[in-house]
Amino acid sequence: LILMSPIKKLAKKGQIYHVYYRRSGGYKFVGENSIKLLISLVIFGVLAFLFNTHIFNIAKGTEYITTHFSTPIVLAIFQLSELTHGLLAPEIFMTWVSGFNHPWLWLIVLANISYLGGLGAYFIGRKLDKLPKVHNWVHVKFEEQFEQLKKFGGLLIIVAAFTPLPYSPICMVSGIIKFPLRSFLIATLTRHVRFVIYGYIIFQVME
């Protein structure tokens, strides 16, 4: 009964947020922006495909990294990716650790690196907001849009943390708009859920 109490409180809080987002248009906002984001991703995906095909093969490059460099260097490269652009797919690194002793322990290490990378991106965003041009762009030119993002950003952060959407850039934008740090830290915990689910599937396939 003692253990159920926090779970019930969390479920009740989740229900309150669900009603709030449904009535205030939060789900609609995330849906519309996810579609816009998806369109941007498609365009980016086409450009990435052309770059990957004709200039540099990212998958082979990542595979080369995981097979020719020491573990600390590979983890550092993954950290840098998660901190800045997130172009290196976490699934490749999950496949890499699947051959290690205690792969689940290494999966947790990867999840924590990704989580901290998102946190670092958030603080980079806070620094970027101090630049006059960025500040003017966020708080003047697109003030209405970014206010909406600040209001419903928690949902978008969860979606980005849990799906292949660009996690690092959204974390950076969260910092730029000064999304509450405590709420950000809670929302991005879903990043660990993604790693557990994807990791389980990859580990089963690699057995």
Side-chain angles (χ1 to χ4, degrees):
L1 292 176
I2 295 175
L3 291 175
M4 285 298 293
S5 180
I7 296 174
K8 286 182 178 179
K9 287 181 180 179
L10 185 62
K12 186 176 180 180
K13 193 172 183 179
Q15 180 64 23
I16 293 172
Y17 275 112
H18 167 66
V19 173
Y20 168 73
Y21 285 133
R22 188 181 63 191
R23 291 180 178 176
S24 61
Y27 291 130
K28 182 180 179 182
F29 169 79
V30 171
E32 290 175 349
N33 282 276
S34 294
I35 292 172
K36 293 177 183 176
L37 194 58
L38 185 60
I39 294 172
S40 299
L41 280 176
V42 170
I43 296 172
F44 177 78
V46 171
L47 294 174
F49 173 77
L50 294 173
F51 176 84
N52 191 59
T53 304
H54 301 289
I55 300 176
F56 178 75
N57 191 299
I58 297 174
K60 287 185 177 179
T62 308
E63 183 181 352
Y64 180 86
I65 289 170
T66 57
T67 55
H68 288 77
F69 292 96
S70 65
T71 298
I73 292 178
V74 174
L75 294 177
I77 291 171
F78 179 58
Q79 174 77 86
L80 182 63
S81 173
E82 293 294 273
L83 180 66
T84 53
H85 49 71
L87 281 179
L88 303 182
E91 291 75 23
I92 296 175
F93 294 89
M94 294 179 202
T95 304
W96 171 60
V97 301
S98 67
F100 285 23
N101 292 324
H102 312 295
W104 281 103
L105 179 61
W106 283 101
L107 184 73
I108 293 173
V109 171
L110 290 178
N112 286 333
I113 287 175
S114 181
Y115 181 79
L116 292 174
L119 180 59
Y122 174 89
F123 283 111
I124 289 174
R126 293 291 292 265
K127 291 291 184 182
L128 287 175
D129 185 54
K130 294 180 180 180
L131 298 175
K133 286 186 178 181
V134 175
H135 187 85
N136 180 70
W137 185 60
V138 173
H139 300 285
V140 179
K141 193 172 182 180
F142 296 103
E143 181 181 11
E144 184 178 345
Q145 291 86 341
F146 278 99
E147 278 300 315
Q148 286 287 91
L149 184 59
K150 190 173 182 179
K151 185 177 181 182
F152 303 122
L155 283 174
L156 196 58
I157 292 169
I158 291 173
V159 171
F162 193 68
T163 68
L165 290 177
Y167 176 63
S168 302
I170 288 179
C171 290
M172 206 171 290
V173 170
S174 299
I176 291 174
I177 64 173
K178 293 185 174 66
F179 188 81
L181 179 59
R182 183 173 179 273
S183 299
F184 174 83
L185 292 173
I186 294 173
T188 49
L189 283 174
T190 50
R191 191 67 171 171
H192 290 81
V193 178
R194 177 176 187 250
F195 271 73
V196 169
I197 294 174
Y198 282 55
Y200 175 78
I201 295 171
I202 289 172
F203 290 172
Q204 293 301 309
V205 171
M206 297 302 292
E207 282 186 355

